[in-house]
Amino acid sequence: MAQTNEPTFQEIAETIRRLEELLDRVPDPLARDIRQKIAHLRALLLEQRSPNLVLVGRRGSGKSSLINALFGARVAEVGHVKAQTGRGRWFDVHGELGTLSILDTRGIQEGSRPEEADEADTPLDSILDEVRRKAPDALLFLVKSTEVDAAIDADLDVLAQIVSAVEQAHGSRPPLLAVATHCDLLEPKRTDLHHPDSQDPSDLQEKLRHVEAVERQLREKIRSRDELRGELVTVMGVSSYLSWRPDGTIRSDERWRLGELAQVLFRELPEQGRLVLARVTRVRALQEELANALTRAMASLCMGLAVVPIPIADIIPITSAQVSLIVGIAWISGRQLDLKASTEFLAALGVNVGAAFALREAARALIKFVFPGAGSVVSGAVAFAGTLAIGAAARAFFLRGVSAEEARNLFQSTRASAEAHPDRALTDG
Ligand SMILES: Nc1nc2c(ncn2[C@@H]2O[C@H](COP(=O)(O)OP(=O)(O)OP(=O)(O)O)[C@@H](O)[C@H]2O)c(=O)[nH]1
Ligand SMILES: [Mg+2]
């Protein structure tokens, strides 16, 4: 959780603490509702941690490649290397934007065929000890598409044992995602799944039918196991193929459906793990989903706080929350979190931030901009609309890369329509 030591996260934590103080003045049913929203924000922003993923799959099924494909970088050794790094132990895989905690089960499925075993094999018992020690957030079961026919009973036994060890130790069963790798190698081999638009349509259809057949077969095998059926959340064919130049840059990127896989995984993760996954994978849909969730939570939080008459001095925590929202969205987009990025953004929106060098200063500058003509109180609708508009502008600017002028226009139009129709604004994307 190194990220949460960042000074700006400390400021966000401080802002949240001050918002909670304000809550003491809010009548109870409302306060309870707001406290829930704060808990949500805490989980997303302040309690973020690396997701814990267990990879189960035979030699060469593509475990290491899948990790690289999720990161879009060469972070794990591919091929039959005898690297012992973290073998059979939880180990951290570091990318530029974050870390995933991985338990690679390499070698345990081949236990029944000792002639193929080597010193890199990990006994099942040590894997089970590891998942008892630290709970997995998800199990990823990898099978090569060209080998789904092969007996995978031994693999399913391993999965079942892991699931039951996790349940005994932690009281809940982890979600299971079955991944058919190497889909690019299915017939017709030369049809590129990752460039669907430039392929012969009937060849592409044929290839996709083969992918579906593989998925169906894999699904049936897993569903035939009582111990696994309930945990299966998806069966998905993918290609993780990436080719690297000797200097580590990408030569060709033939990944297919990795974004979709990341999306399913994202939904299965506890909230604390979602931000890291969105950053690490840089999947736009995840960034948008998270930034949306953050915006809504922050907007209804600010609305709730504004319902009780708050003197103008107390609007600062509200505007601090709004600056925190900008900072949070910039962070989701993969920017190095700093106040500079958020004050630059505010300046682009047209806020005169002057020498803002702390969240509180920026928040002070924001007041007049977001609450023009605010007297001694800010209405709930105005606080809500202003926060929603800031979130919309920040998403457009940081995630979609629109110009400062477009972000500013979006701020104004979103605020106007959210003030006019607050109910509609909350349900819109
Ligand atoms: N074409 C294609 N090749 C893949 C794909 N995924 C992995 N590979 C290749 O398959 C081989 C084995 O992949 P790894 O990622 O090393 O497999 P692993 O499961 O980590 O293997 P072990 O660590 O030995 O257990 C490598 O040559 C990869 O380049 C894929 O989706 N498509
Ligand atoms: Mg490997």
Side-chain angles (χ1 to χ4, degrees):
M1 275 191 286
Q3 298 97 322
T4 51
N5 294 327
E6 297 271 344
T8 314
F9 274 108
Q10 285 169 18
E11 291 219 45
I12 293 177
E14 169 67 10
T15 296
I16 288 184
R17 195 189 57 71
R18 295 195 324 144
L19 289 171
E20 278 172 332
E21 261 173 36
L22 268 184
L23 273 183
D24 295 341
R25 288 186 248 159
V26 177
D28 198 37
L30 189 58
R32 205 177 314 132
D33 185 46
I34 298 174
R35 277 184 217 284
Q36 268 171 14
K37 296 199 169 94
I38 291 182
H40 185 208
L41 287 168
R42 267 190 196 286
L44 283 178
L45 281 180
L46 300 178
E47 293 162 12
Q48 53 180 300
R49 63 161 173 84
S50 300
N52 306 324
L53 309 177
V54 178
L55 302 185
V56 177
R58 304 196 160 195
R59 290 285 169 69
S61 57
K63 299 178 294 296
S64 303
S65 300
L66 184 72
I67 296 175
N68 290 335
L70 284 171
F71 278 90
R74 195 166 56 179
V75 290
E77 287 292 350
V78 168
H80 191 84
V81 285
K82 291 197 175 178
Q84 298 290 317
T85 328
R87 192 63 65 209
R89 295 258 175 274
W90 285 107
F91 70 103
D92 286 345
V93 179
H94 301 287
E96 219 176 289
L97 296 179
T99 300
L100 298 180
S101 182
I102 302 287
L103 180 59
D104 185 332
T105 64
R106 176 181 172 193
I108 52 176
Q109 294 89 328
E110 285 95 18
S112 56
R113 287 177 293 149
E115 71 276 12
E116 285 186 16
D118 64 30
E119 70 273 24
D121 280 359
T122 305
L124 178 57
D125 283 344
S126 80
I127 296 289
L128 296 179
D129 283 344
E130 283 299 280
V131 301
R132 287 187 194 106
R133 188 166 70 77
K134 183 162 99 172
D137 295 315
L139 303 182
L140 297 171
F141 174 40
L142 279 70
V143 186
K144 228 169 146 170
S145 308
T146 48
E147 291 176 359
V148 180
D149 276 337
I152 55 171
D153 290 340
D155 310 61
L156 297 178
D157 286 342
V158 166
L159 281 171
Q161 294 200 55
I162 292 177
V163 167
S164 105
V166 173
E167 185 175 30
Q168 276 173 15
H170 308 285
S172 65
R173 297 161 73 85
L176 170 62
L177 287 72
V179 183
T181 60
H182 294 75
C183 280
D184 51 311
L185 300 183
L186 294 170
E187 285 299 326
K189 217 168 168 173
R190 301 217 180 278
T191 300
D192 290 342
L193 291 166
H194 62 289
H195 284 145
D197 297 338
S198 55
Q199 306 305 304
D200 177 277
S202 65
D203 288 349
L204 185 64
Q205 283 315 310
E206 187 183 338
K207 189 147 184 161
L208 292 173
R209 276 197 301 276
H210 288 143
V211 173
E212 277 169 31
V214 164
E215 289 171 342
R216 200 176 319 122
Q217 209 173 351
L218 186 53
R219 186 176 299 115
E220 277 164 16
K221 290 202 176 187
I222 297 173
R223 287 215 181 134
S224 72
R225 295 292 192 107
D226 291 342
E227 327 91 276
L228 298 174
R229 197 180 301 134
E231 277 52 64
L232 185 64
V233 291
T234 192
V235 177
M236 195 181 288
V238 305
S239 164
S240 312
Y241 188 79
L242 279 166
S243 159
W244 314 92
R245 295 192 190 88
D247 68 0
T249 55
I250 294 177
R251 182 185 294 126
S252 81
D253 181 352
E254 299 180 16
R255 287 178 294 173
W256 179 64
R257 284 171 106 192
L258 256 294
E260 271 175 72
L261 181 65
Q263 261 175 287
V264 176
L265 181 56
F266 180 87
R267 302 231 162 88
E268 295 302 324
L269 290 181
E271 284 193 316
Q272 288 80 349
R274 291 187 177 172
L275 186 42
V276 174
L277 188 73
R279 266 174 64 91
V280 158
T281 60
R282 302 172 211 232
V283 172
R284 172 78 63 77
L286 302 188
Q287 299 176 335
E288 291 273 0
E289 191 169 325
L290 207 52
N292 253 318
L294 206 58
T295 305
R296 282 152 197 254
M298 206 64 102
S300 34
L301 173 63
C302 290
M303 174 170 68
L305 287 169
V307 163
V308 269
I310 298 172
I312 193 81
D314 286 353
I315 297 173
I316 290 173
I318 297 185
T319 47
S320 296
Q322 292 167 332
V323 180
S324 303
L325 175 61
I326 296 165
V327 169
I329 291 174
W331 177 251
I332 290 169
S333 81
R335 310 243 166 167
Q336 192 53 49
L337 179 97
D338 62 3
L339 196 70
K340 197 164 157 273
S342 74
T343 50
E344 276 167 10
F345 172 73
L346 283 174
L349 281 190
V351 182
N352 179 10
V353 274
F357 49 83
L359 273 187
R360 276 177 300 283
E361 261 69 29
R364 231 177 268 277
L366 196 58
I367 290 183
K368 288 196 210 75
F369 184 72
V370 179
F371 308 125
S376 59
V377 295
V378 169
S379 80
V382 167
F384 175 74
T387 311
L388 214 60
I390 285 182
R395 293 198 303 276
F397 187 80
F398 290 111
L399 304 184
R400 273 166 261 146
V402 308
S403 71
E405 196 186 337
E406 282 173 274
R408 188 176 184 163
N409 291 340
L410 190 63
F411 171 81
Q412 269 143 11
S413 63
T414 308
R415 182 175 58 179
S417 70
E419 273 184 38
H421 307 284
D423 44 337
R424 211 181 294 163
L426 196 57
T427 49
D428 284 354

